[in-house]
Amino acid sequence: QSALTQPASVSGSPGQSITISCTGSSSDVGGSNYVSWYQQQPGKAPKVIISDVSNRPSGVSTRFSGSKSGNTASLTISGLQADDEADYYCSSFSSTNSLVFGGGTTVTVL
Amino acid sequence: QVQLLQSGVEVKKSGASVKVSCKASGYTFSAYGITWVRQAPGEGLEWMGWISAYTGNTHFAEKFEGRVTLTTDMSTSTAYMQLRGLRSDDTAVYYCATEYRSSSRWGPTDWGQGTLVIVSS
């Protein structure tokens, strides 16, 4: 069982916006500025899309945005495209001095 | 650009050890750390630990403490992960990553291509 809880799947039509949640506790998401989001295509390494809750590292599309409220972080993908189909993982620094991940969310473009 | 090039597929017997390498290029290796993450087939990501490339200071997930050794070689900009006492549930893809584009080691941004380790009995 993963430390952070994500929905197993989220779907949307091309052009729509979708949001993926990542729920933890005050020991991780709620108490950390170090929340990241990763996109993983089948058979590929994870690719960072959001760092430090809401920062987009250089080279990442502006269609991806991150936020946090209390113990829940969120990733929003706007203008959904076919190549956004992938697994998405959140991660957070934990007060146990470790990095914890969510279980992953599969995004399907209808 | 930042590149992390990992060693190839490993097939090991239960009880053996494996050592995976991760050669960095495109940035100042000593200025950042290396995180190791693994992913079992069809499963999610699991953090194993982190090493400072400069000081060699390490941090491990509790479940790997005592079974994993992380090292770096600054002369070749290469990081290594050794896992001992392999079991079938250690079969996974092992990734190295660095926090080059993040403000902290708790958000690795640039990842290697992964190394598949298969443990057979």
Side-chain angles (χ1 to χ4, degrees), chain A residues 3-16:
Chain A
L4 307 179
T5 300
Q6 298 180 231
S9 62
V10 172
S11 62
S13 300
Q16 283 188 330

Side-chain angles (χ1 to χ4, degrees), chain B residues 8 20 22 35 38 52 55 57 67 78 86 88 90 92 98-99 112:
Chain B
V20 177
C22 169
T35 292
R38 76 177 186 179
S52 165
T55 65
N57 287 345
R67 207 160 68 94
T78 303
L86 289 169
S88 58
D90 289 318
T98 186
E99 64 268 15

Side-chain angles (χ1 to χ4, degrees), chain A residues 19-30:
Chain A
T19 297
I20 303 169
S21 61
C22 169
T23 301
S25 69
S26 56
S27 297
D28 37 64
V29 173

Side-chain angles (χ1 to χ4, degrees), chain A residues 78-91:
Chain A
S78 58
L80 200 61
Q81 299 177 357
D83 64 0
D84 294 332
E85 278 207 346
D87 292 328
Y88 291 81
Y89 293 91
C90 61
S91 72

